[in-house]
Amino acid sequence: MVSSSTPEKSPLTPPIRNIFRFKTGSRRPYRSISPYDFDGALPGVVSPPPKAPRKVPRSPFKVLDAPALQDDFYLNLVDWSSHNVLAVGLGNCVYLWNACSSKVTKLCDLGADDSVCSVGWAQRGTHLAVGTNNGKVEIWDALRCRKIRTTEGHGLRVGALAWSSLLLSSGSRDKTILQHDIRAQEDVVSKLTGHKSEVCGLKWAYDDRELASGGNDNRLFVWNQHSMQPVLKFSAHTAAVKAIDWSPHMHGLLASGGGTSDRCIRFWNTTTNSHLSCMDTGKSGGFLTHL
């Protein structure tokens, strides 16, 4: 394990002491809000007083320095685990930053012939998937800093990853989505085709019933657990669909964000196959992370 106080030097990467340096400032309390309000109340129930609008700080409370972070819209190089550990792909290496201890660990180095294109934590536990420019998917036990498996099957870079409880899905520039089961001997248990361009967004629903995928073809697809073709197709976006998220509170509620020339966040009901609403953000909606 490598900490920020005892950096490990490598000729292929910048010194760890220059990575994830942060500044501490004032931190305001966070209050979650929902975009959905209910009109009216049950008979005999007194409605609570309206909440004051949430104030979003204009300045961050931490700033992490991340040299060699690729400026590429289609890559997914940052992911936060349920154990409060941030994984970041920098060049051909993956680093972990523990938000509780501020400790920095260099998890892996792919070598000079490959680079990191995506990282994705399993929903629970300490497994981290790493998608590479050469089309491979590596699965690491981050707690032990040990590689568990390397899977192949993609012909081009793997820029999108998404875990369900049992499967790991990987999306590639080769236009395909591969399903991996780390319990199975085979590298790939199924292959999903339908996008006409690079798959840059993937997200499993919280109940593992549906997988949403977004592509550089401006399409948003929904797949079920057993489908080999998309069961729903949405084409309202006018730019690449990278940002995708499911509501953890309402089954079938899906949000998607389009790129710079689209600027919209759209809400969908996959149960009724309907478009619910659209919000123009006035800038790129491609970085939506959570509802």
Side-chain angles (χ1 to χ4, degrees), residues 233-244:
K233 298 181 180 181
F234 301 115
S235 57
H237 285 292
T238 58
V241 182
K242 176 185 176 184
I244 304 171

Side-chain angles (χ1 to χ4, degrees), residues 5 48 67 83-84 100 109 125-126 132 137 139 150 167-168 181 184 240 244 255:
S5 59
H83 293 274
N84 212 12
C100 299
D109 187 333
T126 59
T132 81
V137 177
I139 302 173
T150 299
L167 296 175
L168 168 64
D181 188 338
I244 304 171

Side-chain angles (χ1 to χ4, degrees), residues 205-233:
Y206 288 87
D207 57 10
D208 291 345
R209 295 182 183 180
E210 295 175 304
L211 172 68
S213 66
N216 197 33
D217 53 4
N218 308 345
R219 297 297 185 91
L220 174 67
F221 291 161
V222 177
W223 321 70
N224 64 29
Q225 293 172 311
H226 309 290
S227 64
M228 302 301 291
Q229 295 291 326
V231 294
L232 297 177
K233 298 181 180 181

Side-chain angles (χ1 to χ4, degrees), residues 13-283:
T13 59
I16 288 183
R17 65 173 179 271
N18 294 326
I19 297 174
F20 303 155
R21 183 176 66 240
F22 64 87
K23 302 175 183 178
T24 303
S26 60
R27 183 175 184 177
R28 301 184 182 182
Y30 171 79
R31 291 184 301 170
S32 63
I33 61 173
S34 170
Y36 301 94
D37 296 322
F38 295 92
D39 296 326
L42 295 174
V45 177
V46 179
S47 300
K51 294 182 179 179
R54 181 167 63 97
K55 295 182 179 179
V56 180
R58 292 182 177 273
S59 58
F61 65 90
K62 289 185 187 295
V63 178
L64 307 179
D65 290 338
L69 183 67
Q70 293 190 61
D71 183 13
D72 191 324
F73 172 83
Y74 298 100
L75 306 186
N76 292 275
L77 298 172
V78 179
D79 197 30
W80 211 308
S81 80
S82 60
H83 293 274
N84 212 12
V85 178
L86 186 71
V88 183
L90 299 178
N92 49 16
C93 297
V94 175
Y95 293 89
L96 308 179
W97 178 72
N98 190 308
C100 299
S101 65
S102 294
K103 181 180 180 180
V104 176
T105 303
K106 182 179 178 181
L107 178 67
C108 66
D109 187 333
L110 302 180
D113 297 329
D114 207 349
S115 60
V116 180
C117 292
S118 55
V119 293
W121 289 100
Q123 295 176 359
R124 301 173 184 85
T126 59
H127 286 173
L128 178 71
V130 179
T132 81
N133 189 61
N134 290 342
K136 297 179 181 179
V137 177
E138 297 185 356
I139 302 173
W140 286 76
D141 183 339
L143 185 62
R144 298 174 176 82
C145 288
R146 180 173 63 90
K147 183 165 63 174
I148 299 174
R149 187 168 186 173
T150 299
T151 67
E152 300 183 0
H154 286 296
L156 297 171
R157 71 182 183 186
V158 179
L161 297 166
W163 291 83
S164 71
S165 299
L166 300 176
L167 296 175
L168 168 64
S169 303
S170 59
S172 172
R173 201 172 191 174
D174 65 10
K175 310 173 188 178
T176 67
I177 302 169
L178 300 183
Q179 307 279 44
H180 315 269
D181 188 338
I182 62 175
R183 305 166 301 170
Q185 185 176 359
E186 299 82 6
D187 284 351
V188 178
V189 295
S190 63
K191 180 178 181 179
L192 309 181
T193 58
H195 283 286
K196 303 300 182 183
S197 190
E198 180 171 8
V199 179
C200 52
L202 284 175
K203 190 71 174 183
W204 276 96
Y206 288 87
D207 57 10
D208 291 345
R209 295 182 183 180
E210 295 175 304
L211 172 68
S213 66
N216 197 33
D217 53 4
N218 308 345
R219 297 297 185 91
L220 174 67
F221 291 161
V222 177
W223 321 70
N224 64 29
Q225 293 172 311
H226 309 290
S227 64
M228 302 301 291
Q229 295 291 326
V231 294
L232 297 177
K233 298 181 180 181
F234 301 115
S235 57
H237 285 292
T238 58
V241 182
K242 176 185 176 184
I244 304 171
D245 208 359
W246 295 89
S247 169
H249 311 291
M250 186 179 299
H251 172 69
L253 178 59
L254 175 65
S256 60
T260 305
S261 61
D262 180 81
R263 307 187 313 273
C264 292
I265 299 173
R266 296 181 180 272
F267 295 88
W268 314 86
N269 185 331
T270 62
T271 303
T272 60
N273 189 15
S274 58
H275 179 232
L276 301 177
S277 63
C278 174
M279 295 191 304
D280 191 328
T281 65
K283 56 183 178 180

